[in-house]
Amino acid sequence: MTKVIFRRDGDVAVPADEDSLAALRGFKDGAEFLGIIRGARNLEQLKLFWVLVGIVAESTDRAKTSIKHDAAIATKFVEYHCDYDGKVHVIPKSIAVESMTQADFDQFFTKAVEVMAGWIGAEHKDLMRRFNEAAADKRYEGMRHG
């Protein structure tokens, strides 16, 4: 299944990015297809989260997925699982667009920025300054998790 993003323009749905346009063009003209419609979260904020994770990764020489994992645990954005032997496991929740609301992501994001700033010995404003510098850096253009 391909995830795509459309923007409403009157009574027409318009692809919001190149990936969505490519997915749409994958169908023949006049072809019907099935879609599930949900309100999109603030995708720019999600991209910002992963850019900030990238800054922390460069500062700490740790993998981005580990930083996201640890940020979820540090902010208590987790689920608990009790295995067959009675051992409790802490499992970070998904931050995928379909897994959480914008309000939940806002809360996670705010807490995660504070936690990540502390990991690199920076204040929130300093981390955001570094983000703004990184945003101008082509290495971060279109950065995704991974």
Side-chain angles (χ1 to χ4, degrees):
M1 177 195 310
T2 302
K3 294 180 190 175
V4 296
I5 303 165
F6 286 82
R7 182 177 306 105
R8 181 176 174 206
D9 187 4
D11 289 339
V12 177
V14 178
D17 58 22
E18 291 300 318
D19 292 339
S20 300
L21 179 60
L24 179 63
R25 288 182 174 160
F27 293 97
K28 292 193 302 187
D29 243 0
E32 294 180 352
F33 52 92
L34 178 64
I36 298 172
I37 299 174
R38 292 189 186 133
R41 278 204 338 240
N42 180 339
L43 299 177
E44 291 304 312
Q45 184 186 32
L46 181 61
K47 290 177 192 175
L48 171 60
F49 172 78
W50 285 109
V51 170
L52 294 173
V53 167
I55 292 169
V56 174
E58 286 182 1
S59 298
T60 61
D61 199 30
R62 296 186 58 231
K64 289 179 273 185
T65 52
S66 293
I67 293 165
K68 183 268 177 190
H69 177 100
D70 292 346
I73 291 173
T75 61
K76 296 180 178 34
F77 189 69
V78 296
E79 295 176 341
Y80 299 95
H81 169 72
C82 185
D83 67 19
Y84 184 77
D85 295 324
K87 185 175 180 183
V88 176
H89 302 269
V90 178
I91 303 165
K93 291 182 182 178
S94 172
I95 64 169
V97 172
E98 64 273 8
S99 298
M100 64 190 311
T101 66
Q102 182 62 46
D104 288 341
F105 189 75
D106 286 343
Q107 290 179 356
F108 167 72
F109 181 82
T110 300
K111 292 175 185 176
V113 170
E114 293 300 325
V115 166
M116 289 189 286
W119 288 343
I120 61 173
E123 291 190 27
H124 181 273
K125 66 180 183 198
D126 295 326
L127 184 56
M128 295 311 290
R129 179 190 49 78
R130 288 182 65 183
F131 165 74
N132 290 329
E133 291 168 0
D137 188 332
K138 295 298 181 193
R139 292 179 299 161
Y140 291 99
E141 199 168 282
M143 178 181 267
R144 301 272 196 243
H145 67 284

